[in-house]
């Protein structure tokens, strides 16, 4: 069974801090994704990666960056956290573009 | 551009009732994939089904069934004899060409289903 693990379930950070959200998958999947989920807005894609060191912007990349140095790990970075980045962040992976996504449990980030 | 609309924001049903969750999509692509995911209160989204655009057969899996109709661009999800464990947010999603050869997965905003005992 595929497991996608997000390093933190809950995180509280201050405005202006640099924040790292880590995600690891154990099934050798090519693709990895970062989404944010907000009430009434559904899931919105921030960034995705289809290979090591490759990244593509999603629908809302502003204020975020990502890193994929190893196939199993995909990190989301908030260079300078702001209150409007308070949200639930979901990491996912998939074998290929049309395969189902496997999601982690999510990280609820609060920026104060 | 492609779009997925789940018009029902929240639905409440009494246990054992049947319930249908609507999903309407828009795409110019002729080859695309449709998905349903379930997000229980624990938070982790779970894959339920995938359908490609060339397969319009309806599917049944236990109490769950899906009705795919290309003519109306809909991929509706029915739960028969609902149970409290079905309480969750359900997302419909579309994978296809969102424009200029850019393929991506687009989610609807989700439908929150509450099954009351």
């Amino acid at each position: 069974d595929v497991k996608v693990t997000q390093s933190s379930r809950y995180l509280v950070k201050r405005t202006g801090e640099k924040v790292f959200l880590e995600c690891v998958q154990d099934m050798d999947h090519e693709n990895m994704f970062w989404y944010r989920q907000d009430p009434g807005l559904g899931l919105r894609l921030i960034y995705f990666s289809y290979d090591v060191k490759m990244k593509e912007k999603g629908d809302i990349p502003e204020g975020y960056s990502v890193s994929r140095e190893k196939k199993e790990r995909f990190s989301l970075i908030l260079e300078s956290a702001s209150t409007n980045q308070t949200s639930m962040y979901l990491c996912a992976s998939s074998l290929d573009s049309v395969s189902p996504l496997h999601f982690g449990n999510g990280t609820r980030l609060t920026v104060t | 551009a492609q779009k997925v609309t789940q018009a029902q924001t929240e639905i409440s049903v009494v246990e054992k009732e049947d319930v249908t969750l609507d999903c309407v999509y828009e795409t110019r692509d002729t080859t695309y994939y449709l998905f349903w995911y379930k997000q229980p209160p624990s938070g982790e989204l779970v894959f339920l089904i995938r359908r490609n655009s060339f397969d319009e057969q309806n599917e049944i899996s236990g109490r769950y069934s899906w009705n795919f109709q290309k003519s109306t661009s809909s991929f509706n999800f029915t739960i028969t004899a609902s149970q409290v464990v079905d309480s969750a947010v359900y997302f419909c999603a579309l994978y296809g060409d969102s424009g200029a050869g850019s393929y991506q997965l687009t989610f609807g905003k989700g439908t929150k289903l509450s099954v009351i005992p």
Side-chain angles (χ1 to χ4, degrees):
Chain A
D1 223 14
V2 177
K3 189 139 181 77
V4 178
T5 304
Q6 294 183 231
S7 53
S8 304
R9 189 83 167 111
Y10 299 95
L11 214 49
V12 179
K13 296 291 181 181
R14 293 192 182 276
T15 301
E17 276 193 78
K18 189 169 185 175
V19 181
F20 292 86
L21 302 183
E22 306 287 346
C23 175
V24 176
Q25 51 96 2
D26 66 359
M27 279 300 287
D28 205 34
H29 281 176
E30 300 292 334
N31 299 334
M32 295 189 75
F33 307 81
W34 276 106
Y35 288 88
R36 65 176 281 178
Q37 182 177 11
D38 301 286
L41 297 178
L43 276 72
R44 294 180 291 166
L45 181 64
I46 305 171
Y47 268 97
F48 66 100
S49 167
Y50 53 87
D51 202 352
V52 175
K53 296 192 186 295
M54 306 300 285
K55 61 184 179 184
E56 294 283 343
K57 292 180 181 178
D59 299 318
I60 51 164
E62 297 78 19
Y64 303 94
S65 62
V66 290
S67 171
R68 193 165 181 202
E69 295 297 318
K70 293 184 178 180
K71 192 174 187 179
E72 67 270 18
R73 188 178 296 270
F74 192 35
S75 303
L76 180 68
I77 303 153
L78 288 65
E79 294 290 341
S80 177
S82 63
T83 54
N84 63 13
Q85 292 178 310
T86 291
S87 186
M88 171 68 88
Y89 290 88
L90 296 169
C91 176
S93 72
S94 69
L95 183 62
D96 55 45
S97 299
V98 298
S99 290
L101 298 182
H102 297 265
F103 284 86
N105 281 336
T107 296
R108 185 165 293 283
L109 172 67
T110 302
V111 183
T112 61
Chain B
Q2 59 186 30
K3 188 177 176 183
V4 176
T5 302
Q6 295 180 254
Q8 305 146 308
T9 307
E10 293 193 41
I11 303 176
S12 287
V13 299
V14 176
E15 201 171 19
K16 296 185 184 173
E17 284 185 354
D18 298 347
V19 58
T20 296
L21 309 183
D22 297 333
C23 173
V24 174
Y25 61 92
E26 295 174 30
T27 180
R28 291 186 214 174
D29 214 347
T30 54
T31 302
Y32 52 89
Y33 292 79
L34 294 161
F35 300 81
W36 275 96
Y37 289 86
K38 174 183 180 180
Q39 186 180 37
S42 60
E44 184 175 336
L45 275 91
V46 175
F47 163 74
L48 295 177
I49 190 171
R50 180 185 72 178
R51 262 284 176 267
N52 73 51
S53 53
F54 299 108
D55 182 2
E56 284 194 76
Q57 276 195 353
N58 292 330
E59 176 142 348
I60 298 174
S61 176
R63 296 183 297 106
Y64 294 174
S65 62
W66 291 268
N67 180 248
F68 176 29
Q69 292 199 344
K70 284 176 79 170
S71 59
T72 55
S73 296
S74 65
F75 187 42
N76 296 337
F77 173 31
T78 296
I79 301 174
T80 303
S82 60
Q83 299 177 3
V84 172
V85 293
D86 296 327
S87 296
V89 180
Y90 292 87
F91 291 94
C92 180
L94 165 69
Y95 178 82
D97 184 356
S98 62
S102 171
Y103 285 80
Q104 76 179 59
L105 184 66
T106 300
F107 281 86
K109 289 187 166 54
T111 296
K112 182 178 181 180
L113 173 66
S114 298
V115 180
I116 303 162

